[in-house]
Amino acid sequence: MSATVDYDELLTRYEPALGLEVHVELNTNTKMFCGCANEFGGEPNTHVCPVCLGLPGSLPVINGKAVESAIRIGLALNCEIAQWCRMARKNYFYPDMTKNFQTSQYDEPIAFEGWVDLEVEGKTYRVEIERAHMEEDAGKATHVGGSGRIQGADYSLIDYNRAGVPLIEIVTKPIRGAGEKAPEVAKAYVAHLRELMKALGVSDVRMEQGSLRCDANVSLAPIGSETLGTRTETKNVNSLRSVERAIRYEMTRQAAILDDGGKVRQETRHFHESDGTTSSGRSKEEAEDYRYFAEPDLMPIAPSRDWVEELRATLPEPPAERRARLQGEWGFSDIDFAAVVNSGALGMVEDTVAAGASPASARKWWVTELARRANEAGVELDELAITPAQVAGVQALVDEGKVNDKLARQVIDGVLAGEGEPSEVVEKRGLVVVSDEGALSAAVDEVIAANPDVADKIRSGKVQAAGALIGQVMKAMRGQADAGKVRELVLSKLS
Amino acid sequence: MMSILKRSAADLGRAMAAGELTSEEITRAFLEQIEALNPTLNVFLAVDAESALAQARAIDARRAAGEDLGPLAGVPIGVKDNFCTTDFPTTCGSKMLDGWIPPYDSTVVTRLREAGLIIVGKTNMDEFAMGSSTETSYFGATRNPWDTDRIPGGSGGGSSAAVSSYMVPIAVGSDTGGSIRQPGSVTGTIGVKPTYGGVSRYGLVAMASSLDQPGPVARTTEDAALLQQIIGGYDPHDSASINQPVPDLLTASQADDLAGVRIGIVTEFQGEGYEPGVLERFREAVEVLRAAGAEIVEVSCPAFAYALPAYYLIQPAELSSNLARFDGMRYGLRAGDDGSTSAEQVMNLSREEGFGREAKRRIIIGTYALSAGYYDAYYGSAQKVRSLIQQDFDNAFGQVDVLISPTTPTVAFKIGERTADPMSMYLADLCTIPSNMAGNASASFPAGLSEGLPVGLQVMAPPMEDARLYRVGGVLERALEAQWGGPLLDQMNQIDGSKAVSA
């Protein structure tokens, strides 16, 4: 493992440049070039046909819906949409590539020259988009034996269900000037793309399933230098947290090499979730020759301007406008709203409100309780196994007085553990609060009898002492009492 | 039996419809001819007599039940071995695919089945359709029925020899640079390369995708027209497929004269390098066409001079990419897979063993032509030449309705004569390549004999104007047959069965 240097300290000497390549799997019904189902998972090699298996004689036919999604993505990224473009063949060998070439786009991408604005800790960063192009995904190879990589494996199992799934690859221009915030800007960029793709409805954007994945190029140059340093490309970083960690790690690793007077090797690197480090993959010192040429089996794509304008009309509200609108609708203070945005909970809060919860309660659950759990689990908020509708369901139980906040947390535990809908969890775990006067009254009487001193204090008017008794009653009821009712009972019995 | 074999596919169809013959009788007759001649000619790589007869009986039963079947239902047909078939191996003449049975049918084959044709077998071809002599087949050379010491043309020599030796009345081929027309020319048969996109390529194992085009092989213009009407037309599985109805080729093939038809002779395709006998037959054919009412003019297509070198960059480039999938991993040959070698070595060994010399030569040329430092100099320049050829055709078709030339500069050469010299082999497709580069329609029709061997006349028409080929071809056919006193193939000698092939 390479030596690393202190992150804050390296920034006094080096300026990072980032290049992000994000692959988005489109959620079209069928694959890019054939009629096979575009579904995640399934028994290996069940969603396949001669075309996506690349059998001799098979021919691709482009999926019109994928082109439509590509154009909408391009428009949402403020890109130009090509008047005329083509698919190209990218020739290289890889075991999970059925034809030993990938059908992609090269010098004629469908969308190019765009930008997105990101807000990171109150500052706006503009990320320029070089291109967004269409391509097909490869199959999935599992190398068995050895290190789990192809080298040294005993054998490989290949599942072609993913072969031919439509992808959009979004490539940024070099992102410079982010300085110490580079990892956060990268994270915000990927988060922004996720939000955008979700709003467009073009992808499931599930990073853990690989439907949105990021390759992060990082280089360091001495501060003030005009030219970029040698870059490394960390492949398939598949969570927002990992994007940030991988870039931070690469910056410190490269700085250590440069500080020692060494040279950064241009190579691909693998990111390790377990310890946040990267390790060397394929060397890229010799540029690969993909022998690109226009795919002769597919006709050029020439989206009419009318169609492009029709698609532009289907774009979701731009993120900044949406934020302004939501803050107004919810009546949150700047601080409360910033907490929602910074925790990445905007979409979830919006959906929870739409499912019937009050904005304040939706905010409370996502920004406090669920954010804490996501953080503990090292996942993003929307990767938790609970939906906004379920959170609204939990809040409804609270509002109805069936559970209190403490029990509500247990309901959330149950939902996250896959025990079902909130009401089912309440039932299974027996979490309903006891509001039965008789049972509560008996418990209160017991506690009063056991604590005569405290009871006397309350009788003499020190109402704030009631808390101690209420706590004991709640404990005796194993938390399943309606705290308000307990308080009422204690005070009425001691008045 | 000869009385059945010599009848055209259309005649056989009519005889079945009239109840004069059954498909079973017909199929049996052709199967016997295959059995008799295949050991000598090495035309068919796979034949399934039992299945063919069963299909024939099924057609007979349907006809007996009063079903109204198409004009070629019950007619036997041969299919070039690069069309995927679920009931025969599809080898492409290569060891790489020896014994491979595809899990799907090509669109052409599906349409033949739907039209009730009886696919009797798969015909030999140059390996992966690269060659002009059918000598590069892993399964041995096919011989020309006119002279078994000679080549039957390539790459579709099997289909053309099958039709010219009466093993089947019709066949399908594929034409990338002349692989239907050049064998047609040297075997005295009709070979049509339809407009690119006119017949689906789905399930045709690709050689060079932007040039490949399936088409008919026949003994009469009428048969070719009927066959193209069956296999042609829009196919949503092929992006290049033209979404328009197939023109009425049959009616075009029955035209009486060429009144009002302007025919251009390609200036560049005559003279040096063309055998005198070939040019003589060409000039006589021109006079026949003039006599039928056509107006004849000379048209210059200067970029055609560069068609051959440009073709030999584009075609290997696309081929190198198309053949990349043959890596020994998922189908076909796998060599060196004893557990002691890496996946990469298995791929290398499989390719080393599976591909023949010509395939390797072209893969290397194509890989080189596409590589980063040479793309502009080679592939890029070749694409520019391609545009110039298209412009030449556009200009020419602004002046004339069709263009004509000899189909090949020479008659069939001897087996082995050109194998050591690839450049001389490539010249066989000199006249046919421009049409593939431009994607227009083109066909070869028998034009007579030179030194006892067939000579072909090539007719070229604008894209989607395939009907013009059939009009010119039909008129030429009837005029020449009147002169000759019967079809050209009648002048073929009895095939010398002593030269059994060893493969």
Side-chain angles (χ1 to χ4, degrees), chain A residues 111-268:
Chain A
F112 51 92
E113 298 289 333
W115 51 266
V116 295
D117 281 341
L118 308 169
E119 244 179 79
V120 177
E121 293 169 28
K123 199 172 164 212
T124 303
Y125 294 85
R126 172 159 291 197
V127 171
E128 291 182 311
I129 308 289
E130 185 176 299
R131 57 192 281 148
H133 70 249
M134 299 181 281
E135 62 184 34
E136 60 179 337
D137 212 342
K140 190 177 185 315
T142 308
H143 306 295
V144 182
S147 67
R149 302 210 178 276
I150 188 167
Q151 292 81 7
D154 294 331
Y155 58 92
S156 301
L157 299 171
I158 305 186
D159 176 6
Y160 288 110
N161 282 353
R162 200 180 66 189
V165 163
L167 293 181
I168 302 297
E169 183 176 347
I170 301 165
V171 183
T172 66
K173 291 184 179 171
I175 303 168
R176 305 174 75 172
E180 59 173 340
K181 294 285 178 239
E184 286 85 357
V185 168
K187 181 185 174 186
Y189 170 73
V190 179
H192 177 86
L193 289 189
R194 281 182 58 211
E195 192 182 335
L196 204 57
M197 298 307 138
K198 211 170 158 199
L200 287 164
V202 294
S203 170
D204 302 335
V205 292
R206 300 204 68 93
M207 293 189 82
E208 77 284 5
Q209 292 183 356
S211 63
L212 188 143
R213 43 191 198 262
C214 178
D215 298 342
N217 290 275
V218 178
S219 68
L220 293 183
I223 282 183
S225 163
E226 286 296 305
T227 53
L228 298 172
T230 305
R231 69 189 159 87
T232 61
E233 182 182 14
T234 306
K235 303 290 275 184
N236 291 327
V237 191
N238 51 16
S239 79
L240 291 180
R241 216 165 77 96
S242 298
V243 170
E244 190 179 341
R245 289 171 83 202
I247 290 171
R248 191 177 293 267
Y249 179 81
E250 267 305 285
M251 285 169 64
T252 55
R253 189 189 68 86
Q254 292 184 14
I257 294 171
L258 296 172
D259 282 352
D260 278 357
K263 275 186 171 175
V264 173
R265 248 161 62 98
Q266 186 174 334
E267 63 188 358
T268 60

Side-chain angles (χ1 to χ4, degrees), chain B residues 322-338:
Chain B
N322 283 331
L323 293 196
R325 72 191 67 197
F326 298 100
D327 56 12
M329 287 294 138
R330 296 170 299 272
Y331 37 77
L333 180 79
R334 177 181 294 185
D337 185 20
D338 61 359

Side-chain angles (χ1 to χ4, degrees), chain A residues 404-420:
Chain A
N404 54 26
D405 276 14
K406 187 176 176 191
L407 291 177
R409 290 189 191 99
Q410 292 183 46
V411 176
I412 288 170
D413 285 338
V415 174
L416 290 172
E419 290 167 24

